[in-house]
Amino acid sequence: MKKKAIAVIDMQKDFVTGVLGSKEAGEALPRIEALLHSNALSEDPAEVFFTMDTHGPDYRQTQEGRKLPIPHCLRGSDGWKLCEPLERYAALAPVFEKNTFGSVRLAQALAEFEEVLLTGVCTDICVISNAMLIRAFSPETRIRVRSGLCAGSTPERHRTALLAMAACQVEIED
């Protein structure tokens, strides 16, 4: 079994500086970059994985699009791209595109790890969905979320998601 992994969830322009961006996501970005930089310099680096929310031109006809009628992360658009400071790390890592909140492929890949640190956006939607999928695929894996390396759709929803994950034995760190 491999030791440690870092999963960067949906740190794409539309969620940070674009149509669904927030101040909190913008504040998390340099922290995530710093984590990846220090990890790359480590003598025993964690393996890094990325997810990308990915939608097509039919987004508004999907269930998500009917409930959140704000087109975002449309494949090939500028908003779909990962934020620039993270692109160089993603070039060396597996990147899982997903058209829904959680990635089964990510959860399957992370089942090989003893410990996973989740970062990214949105804490209350995609981060929590991926945490629960990882828990389902790998009940013995230590799952951690560092609150400052994530941002929710609102600060209140961020806090609520952290509490929900803690109730499911995800370790929440400051």
Side-chain angles (χ1 to χ4, degrees), residues 42-162:
S42 171
E43 288 185 23
D44 186 24
E47 193 168 334
V48 179
F49 296 81
F50 285 81
T51 65
M52 291 180 71
D53 197 42
T54 303
H55 301 292
D58 66 338
Y59 173 75
R60 286 185 191 245
Q61 284 73 53
T62 67
Q63 180 170 316
E64 179 182 332
R66 289 189 295 274
K67 294 183 185 281
L68 177 65
I70 301 169
H72 63 280
C73 297
L74 300 176
R75 180 190 306 279
S77 70
D78 191 57
W80 174 71
K81 295 175 183 173
L82 291 168
C83 295
E84 281 88 3
L86 305 181
E87 287 179 327
R88 64 184 167 141
Y89 301 102
L92 304 171
V95 178
F96 298 102
E97 292 182 19
K98 58 187 189 56
N99 65 356
T100 188
F101 306 137
S103 171
V104 169
R105 289 178 50 224
L106 174 68
Q108 290 170 328
L110 294 177
E112 301 178 23
F113 290 85
E114 294 175 15
E115 180 179 320
V116 175
L117 173 63
L118 289 169
T119 70
V121 294
C122 289
T123 317
D124 52 311
I125 302 170
C126 296
V127 174
I128 193 172
S129 295
N130 281 288
M132 295 304 96
L133 280 169
I134 296 164
R135 175 64 67 228
F137 276 87
S138 186
E140 297 303 315
T141 294
R142 178 181 180 207
I143 303 170
R144 300 168 39 228
V145 172
R146 202 168 296 158
S147 64
L149 299 177
C150 296
S153 56
T154 68
E156 180 180 271
R157 288 180 177 179
H158 171 74
R159 288 187 295 276
T160 299
L162 293 173

